[in-house]
Short mmCIF file of all heavy atoms in Angstrom, two decimals:
data_model
loop_
_atom_site.label_atom_id
_atom_site.label_comp_id
_atom_site.label_asym_id
_atom_site.label_seq_id
_atom_site.Cartn_x
_atom_site.Cartn_y
_atom_site.Cartn_z
N ARG L 13 3.63 17.40 -8.47
CA ARG L 13 5.08 17.21 -8.69
C ARG L 13 5.82 16.62 -7.49
O ARG L 13 7.03 16.44 -7.55
CB ARG L 13 5.77 18.52 -9.10
CG ARG L 13 5.26 19.08 -10.42
CD ARG L 13 6.04 20.31 -10.87
NE ARG L 13 5.49 20.84 -12.09
CZ ARG L 13 4.44 21.66 -12.15
NH1 ARG L 13 3.83 22.02 -11.02
NH2 ARG L 13 3.98 22.09 -13.30
N ARG L 14 5.10 16.33 -6.40
CA ARG L 14 5.76 15.66 -5.28
C ARG L 14 5.88 14.16 -5.61
O ARG L 14 5.17 13.65 -6.48
CB ARG L 14 4.95 15.87 -3.99
CG ARG L 14 4.74 17.35 -3.62
CD ARG L 14 5.95 17.98 -2.97
NE ARG L 14 6.33 17.38 -1.71
CZ ARG L 14 5.85 17.73 -0.50
NH1 ARG L 14 4.94 18.70 -0.40
NH2 ARG L 14 6.28 17.14 0.59
N VAL L 15 6.74 13.46 -4.89
CA VAL L 15 7.08 12.08 -5.25
C VAL L 15 6.35 11.07 -4.35
O VAL L 15 6.43 11.16 -3.12
CB VAL L 15 8.61 11.86 -5.16
CG1 VAL L 15 8.96 10.39 -5.44
CG2 VAL L 15 9.33 12.78 -6.13
N ALA L 16 5.66 10.14 -4.97
CA ALA L 16 5.00 9.06 -4.24
C ALA L 16 5.56 7.72 -4.68
O ALA L 16 5.74 7.48 -5.87
CB ALA L 16 3.49 9.07 -4.50
N LEU L 17 5.84 6.85 -3.71
CA LEU L 17 6.18 5.46 -4.02
C LEU L 17 4.96 4.61 -3.74
O LEU L 17 4.36 4.71 -2.66
CB LEU L 17 7.35 4.99 -3.14
CG LEU L 17 7.62 3.48 -3.16
CD1 LEU L 17 8.07 3.01 -4.55
CD2 LEU L 17 8.68 3.11 -2.11
N VAL L 18 4.55 3.79 -4.70
CA VAL L 18 3.44 2.86 -4.50
C VAL L 18 4.00 1.45 -4.72
O VAL L 18 4.48 1.13 -5.81
CB VAL L 18 2.29 3.12 -5.49
CG1 VAL L 18 1.16 2.10 -5.28
CG2 VAL L 18 1.75 4.54 -5.32
N THR L 19 3.95 0.60 -3.70
CA THR L 19 4.43 -0.77 -3.86
C THR L 19 3.29 -1.65 -4.39
O THR L 19 2.11 -1.36 -4.18
CB THR L 19 4.97 -1.35 -2.54
OG1 THR L 19 3.89 -1.53 -1.62
CG2 THR L 19 6.05 -0.46 -1.93
N GLY L 20 3.67 -2.70 -5.11
CA GLY L 20 2.64 -3.58 -5.69
C GLY L 20 1.84 -2.86 -6.74
O GLY L 20 0.60 -2.93 -6.77
N ALA L 21 2.56 -2.18 -7.66
CA ALA L 21 1.90 -1.30 -8.64
C ALA L 21 1.58 -2.00 -9.95
O ALA L 21 1.05 -1.38 -10.87
CB ALA L 21 2.79 -0.08 -8.90
N SER L 22 1.87 -3.29 -10.05
CA SER L 22 1.68 -3.97 -11.33
C SER L 22 0.26 -4.51 -11.51
O SER L 22 -0.07 -5.04 -12.57
CB SER L 22 2.67 -5.14 -11.45
OG SER L 22 2.42 -6.09 -10.44
N ALA L 23 -0.56 -4.44 -10.47
CA ALA L 23 -1.90 -5.05 -10.56
C ALA L 23 -2.82 -4.40 -9.53
O ALA L 23 -2.37 -3.66 -8.65
CB ALA L 23 -1.80 -6.55 -10.29
N GLY L 24 -4.11 -4.71 -9.69
CA GLY L 24 -5.11 -4.41 -8.66
C GLY L 24 -5.09 -3.00 -8.08
O GLY L 24 -5.04 -2.00 -8.81
N ILE L 25 -5.12 -2.94 -6.77
CA ILE L 25 -5.25 -1.67 -6.06
C ILE L 25 -4.06 -0.75 -6.37
O ILE L 25 -4.24 0.44 -6.67
CB ILE L 25 -5.36 -1.92 -4.53
CG1 ILE L 25 -6.62 -2.73 -4.21
CG2 ILE L 25 -5.35 -0.60 -3.76
CD1 ILE L 25 -6.67 -3.30 -2.79
N GLY L 26 -2.86 -1.31 -6.32
CA GLY L 26 -1.65 -0.49 -6.52
C GLY L 26 -1.63 0.18 -7.88
O GLY L 26 -1.30 1.37 -8.00
N ALA L 27 -2.02 -0.57 -8.93
CA ALA L 27 -2.00 -0.02 -10.29
C ALA L 27 -2.98 1.16 -10.38
O ALA L 27 -2.68 2.20 -10.98
CB ALA L 27 -2.37 -1.10 -11.29
N THR L 28 -4.14 1.01 -9.78
CA THR L 28 -5.17 2.06 -9.86
C THR L 28 -4.77 3.27 -9.00
O THR L 28 -4.98 4.42 -9.40
CB THR L 28 -6.53 1.49 -9.43
OG1 THR L 28 -6.80 0.34 -10.23
CG2 THR L 28 -7.65 2.49 -9.61
N VAL L 29 -4.19 3.01 -7.83
CA VAL L 29 -3.73 4.13 -6.99
C VAL L 29 -2.71 4.96 -7.76
O VAL L 29 -2.76 6.20 -7.75
CB VAL L 29 -3.14 3.60 -5.65
CG1 VAL L 29 -2.38 4.69 -4.92
CG2 VAL L 29 -4.25 3.04 -4.77
N CYS L 30 -1.78 4.29 -8.46
CA CYS L 30 -0.77 5.03 -9.25
C CYS L 30 -1.45 5.99 -10.23
O CYS L 30 -1.11 7.18 -10.30
CB CYS L 30 0.11 4.07 -10.05
SG CYS L 30 1.29 3.17 -9.05
N GLU L 31 -2.41 5.46 -11.00
CA GLU L 31 -3.09 6.29 -12.01
C GLU L 31 -3.75 7.50 -11.37
O GLU L 31 -3.66 8.62 -11.87
CB GLU L 31 -4.19 5.48 -12.71
CG GLU L 31 -3.67 4.56 -13.78
CD GLU L 31 -4.78 3.66 -14.29
OE1 GLU L 31 -5.96 4.05 -14.25
OE2 GLU L 31 -4.44 2.53 -14.74
N HIS L 32 -4.43 7.27 -10.23
CA HIS L 32 -5.17 8.37 -9.60
C HIS L 32 -4.22 9.43 -9.02
O HIS L 32 -4.53 10.62 -9.07
CB HIS L 32 -6.13 7.83 -8.54
CG HIS L 32 -7.36 7.22 -9.14
ND1 HIS L 32 -8.63 7.72 -8.92
CD2 HIS L 32 -7.52 6.18 -10.00
CE1 HIS L 32 -9.51 6.99 -9.60
NE2 HIS L 32 -8.86 6.05 -10.25
N LEU L 33 -3.08 8.99 -8.48
CA LEU L 33 -2.14 9.98 -7.93
C LEU L 33 -1.55 10.83 -9.05
O LEU L 33 -1.31 12.03 -8.88
CB LEU L 33 -1.02 9.28 -7.15
CG LEU L 33 -1.43 8.52 -5.89
CD1 LEU L 33 -0.22 7.96 -5.16
CD2 LEU L 33 -2.23 9.41 -4.93
N VAL L 34 -1.35 10.21 -10.22
CA VAL L 34 -0.82 10.96 -11.37
C VAL L 34 -1.89 11.91 -11.90
O VAL L 34 -1.66 13.12 -12.07
CB VAL L 34 -0.36 9.99 -12.49
CG1 VAL L 34 -0.03 10.77 -13.77
CG2 VAL L 34 0.84 9.18 -12.03
N LEU L 35 -3.10 11.35 -12.16
CA LEU L 35 -4.12 12.13 -12.88
C LEU L 35 -4.81 13.16 -11.98
O LEU L 35 -5.11 14.27 -12.42
CB LEU L 35 -5.17 11.19 -13.48
CG LEU L 35 -4.67 10.29 -14.62
CD1 LEU L 35 -5.74 9.29 -15.03
CD2 LEU L 35 -4.22 11.13 -15.82
N ARG L 36 -5.07 12.80 -10.73
CA ARG L 36 -5.87 13.71 -9.87
C ARG L 36 -5.01 14.62 -9.01
O ARG L 36 -5.43 15.73 -8.67
CB ARG L 36 -6.82 12.90 -8.99
CG ARG L 36 -7.92 12.25 -9.84
CD ARG L 36 -8.65 11.16 -9.12
NE ARG L 36 -9.42 11.61 -7.98
CZ ARG L 36 -10.05 10.80 -7.12
NH1 ARG L 36 -10.00 9.49 -7.31
NH2 ARG L 36 -10.73 11.29 -6.12
N LEU L 37 -3.82 14.14 -8.62
CA LEU L 37 -2.98 14.98 -7.75
C LEU L 37 -1.73 15.49 -8.47
O LEU L 37 -0.96 16.26 -7.91
CB LEU L 37 -2.58 14.21 -6.48
CG LEU L 37 -3.74 13.76 -5.59
CD1 LEU L 37 -3.21 13.11 -4.31
CD2 LEU L 37 -4.68 14.91 -5.22
N GLY L 38 -1.51 15.03 -9.71
CA GLY L 38 -0.35 15.52 -10.49
C GLY L 38 0.98 15.10 -9.90
O GLY L 38 2.00 15.79 -10.05
N MET L 39 0.99 13.95 -9.21
CA MET L 39 2.23 13.53 -8.54
C MET L 39 3.18 12.79 -9.48
O MET L 39 2.77 12.23 -10.49
CB MET L 39 1.89 12.61 -7.34
CG MET L 39 1.09 13.32 -6.28
SD MET L 39 0.95 12.33 -4.77
CE MET L 39 2.55 12.65 -4.00
N LYS L 40 4.44 12.79 -9.09
CA LYS L 40 5.45 11.98 -9.76
C LYS L 40 5.43 10.65 -9.01
O LYS L 40 5.83 10.59 -7.85
CB LYS L 40 6.79 12.67 -9.59
CG LYS L 40 7.81 12.37 -10.64
CD LYS L 40 9.08 13.16 -10.38
CE LYS L 40 8.93 14.62 -10.81
NZ LYS L 40 10.15 15.39 -10.55
#
Side-chain angles (χ1 to χ4, degrees):
R13 297 185 183 83
R14 302 281 298 272
V15 176
L17 169 65
V18 178
T19 68
S22 63
I25 297 167
T28 305
V29 167
C30 287
E31 281 172 28
H32 283 243
L33 295 184
V34 171
L35 292 173
R36 291 164 66 186
L37 299 184
M39 297 190 80
K40 206 178 283 179

